[in-house]
């Protein structure tokens, strides 16, 4: 992604998250977190420190507008930290400098595994940090499962729209 494109995606996904998606709660559980799509599709050659800074900034922007002090920033920073090893585990080879993870470049199954692992770890971290307890583990389990599913559906929706262009 070019610099202008990155900033546009950053602002657009943060606005989408705080103005629309944070108000969607299907059955009081499923809330899609589409702003993490930004981190998932950064070029593979983006330096790890740069990815972590993007993740922290992204999460902090969502936290500021959502009144969730530090939850999204910590979870997005964690996601940025584990993103490169998870991406390498799904590509199975050295990637070119301009490699951008997507269904088109990776294929359906590898991208799905990559997205599933990253989204699941992000949602698990976020929900555990939010709950800070295992006393009500069943609602926590359902929140992790439904938030992961809702986010994956949204990510694939974006991929389908981008693929048609």
């Amino acid at each position: 992604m070019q610099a202008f494109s990155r900033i546009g995606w950053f602002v657009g996904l943060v606005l989408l998250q705080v103005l629309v998606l944070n108000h969607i709660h299907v059955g009081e559980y499923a809330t899609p977190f589409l702003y993490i799509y930004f981190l998932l599709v950064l070029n593979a050659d983006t330096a790890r420190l740069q990815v972590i800074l993007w993740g922290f900034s992204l999460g902090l922007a969502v936290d500021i507008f959502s009144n969730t002090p530090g939850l999204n920033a910590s979870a997005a920073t964690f996601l940025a930290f584990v993103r490169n090893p998870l991406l390498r585990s799904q590509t199975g080879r050295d990637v070119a400098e301009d490699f951008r993870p997507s269904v088109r470049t990776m294929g359906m199954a590898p991208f799905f595994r990559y997205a599933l692992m990253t989204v699941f770890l992000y949602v698990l971290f976020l929900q555990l940090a939010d709950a800070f307890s295992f006393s009500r583990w069943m609602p926590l389990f359902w929140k992790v499962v439904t938030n992961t599913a809702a986010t994956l559906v949204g990510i694939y929706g974006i991929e389908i729209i981008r693929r048609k262009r």
Side-chain angles (χ1 to χ4, degrees):
M1 284 192 263
Q2 304 298 357
F4 271 152
S5 179
R6 278 188 185 175
I7 292 170
W9 273 98
F10 183 96
V11 170
L13 287 171
V14 168
L15 289 175
L16 176 66
Q17 186 68 43
V18 298
L19 296 176
V20 178
L21 299 175
N22 280 352
H23 303 290
I24 296 174
H25 306 289
V26 180
E28 296 184 23
Y29 287 104
T31 302
F33 296 105
L34 288 185
Y35 73 95
I36 64 172
Y37 179 76
F38 179 85
L39 295 174
L40 267 64
V41 299
L42 282 174
N43 287 356
D45 68 335
T46 305
R48 190 170 200 176
L49 179 60
Q50 196 175 15
V51 175
I52 290 172
L53 288 173
W54 276 113
F56 177 76
S57 302
L58 191 64
L60 185 62
V62 172
D63 280 336
I64 288 170
F65 293 111
S66 301
N67 197 25
T68 54
L71 282 177
N72 291 292
S74 62
T77 304
F78 171 73
L79 174 62
F81 183 75
V82 300
R83 173 200 176 261
N84 285 349
L86 291 174
L87 179 59
R88 262 187 258 114
S89 75
Q90 292 309 310
T91 55
R93 55 181 163 70
D94 289 335
V95 293
E97 285 184 21
D98 60 345
F99 178 76
R100 191 183 133 283
S102 69
V103 171
R104 185 182 307 164
T105 58
M106 294 176 70
M108 184 67 82
F111 184 77
F112 178 76
R113 287 190 304 267
Y114 164 66
L116 177 64
M117 287 188 302
T118 53
V119 170
F120 174 76
L121 288 174
Y122 167 81
V123 171
L124 181 65
F125 188 98
L126 181 72
Q127 293 304 322
L128 285 174
D130 187 31
F132 209 66
S133 168
F134 287 111
S135 63
R136 294 176 34 99
W137 65 272
M138 199 56 153
L140 179 67
F141 169 78
W142 285 112
K143 278 187 178 183
V144 169
V145 169
T146 57
N147 289 346
T148 299
T151 304
L152 284 174
V153 167
I155 286 171
Y156 267 89
I158 292 172
E159 279 292 310
I160 289 170
I161 291 168
R162 291 188 77 185
R163 192 176 192 178
K164 289 183 179 180
R165 291 190 314 144

